Amino acid sequence: MTSPLPLRPVLAALTLSALALAGCSQPAPPADNAKVAGGEPVATRAVMIGTEGPTLPACSSISRVKDGGTDVYWAPGETRAVKAKLAGGTPVSLCEAADNDAWFGIVFAAPGTDKDMCGIGRSVASAREYQGPCRWGWIRGGTVRLGA
C-alpha cells in the first residue's frame, strides 16, 4: 500500500500559488492614487448659506449653467469624484465662493423639483451648512452666467 502525499505541504503550496496569482491580477492604482470618478470623494465640504448676514437671502444669486454644462463636485478643488452633472441652462443658486471665485458653492433642485422648495431665498439667522431638501455641491468658477 502506498502512502498518500502529506496534505499540509500540498495545501500550503496551493495557497501560496493562489496568492501569487491574485496579486498579479490586481489593477495598478491611478498615478496620483485618485478615486475613480463617481466613487467616494477624497474631500467633502458642505456649502455654507447665510454668509452675507441675516438681512439678505441665504444664497445671493440665481444663475444659470453655461452652455456645455458642468460637473458638480464634493468640495472646492476636489475633482476626483463627480457628484452630479448639470446641463447648460440649469438654474443654480450661488451661495458661497472659494479660492478667489475659482469655485462656487451652489444649491440646485433635483430634476422635476421646484427650486423654490430649496429654502435659500429667505434669510437665515446665521451662516450654516446647507442641509437640504435640495442638492448642493461645488462647481468651477466661469461655468455659470451670473444673475441670469
Side-chain angles (χ1 to χ4, degrees):
M1 178 177 226
T2 60
S3 124
L5 289 173
L7 287 179
R8 240 187 201 142
V10 172
L11 288 175
L14 287 173
T15 302
L16 285 176
S17 297
L19 288 174
L21 288 173
C24 293
S25 66
Q26 297 296 320
D32 63 347
N33 208 20
K35 295 283 186 182
V36 178
E40 288 299 312
V42 174
T44 299
R45 179 154 119 40
V47 171
M48 298 294 289
I49 62 171
T51 59
E52 301 293 319
T55 60
L56 295 174
C59 292
S60 62
S61 170
I62 301 294
S63 300
R64 293 199 178 272
V65 173
K66 286 184 177 179
D67 294 342
T70 190
D71 290 333
V72 180
Y73 299 97
W74 291 89
E78 171 57 66
T79 58
R80 295 180 173 135
V82 175
K83 184 174 186 177
K85 292 184 178 288
L86 298 177
T90 302
V92 297
S93 297
L94 300 183
C95 303
E96 182 181 6
D99 300 336
N100 292 323
D101 293 344
W103 291 90
F104 292 117
I106 62 167
V107 169
F108 58 100
T113 305
D114 182 6
K115 65 179 173 43
D116 293 332
M117 291 179 51
C118 296
I120 41 77
R122 62 180 186 273
S123 64
V124 294
S126 60
R128 63 176 170 83
E129 290 181 357
Y130 182 72
Q131 299 294 317
C134 292
R135 301 177 74 192
W136 59 268
W138 292 87
I139 59 174
R140 293 176 193 263
T143 60
V144 292
R145 291 186 304 268
L146 300 177

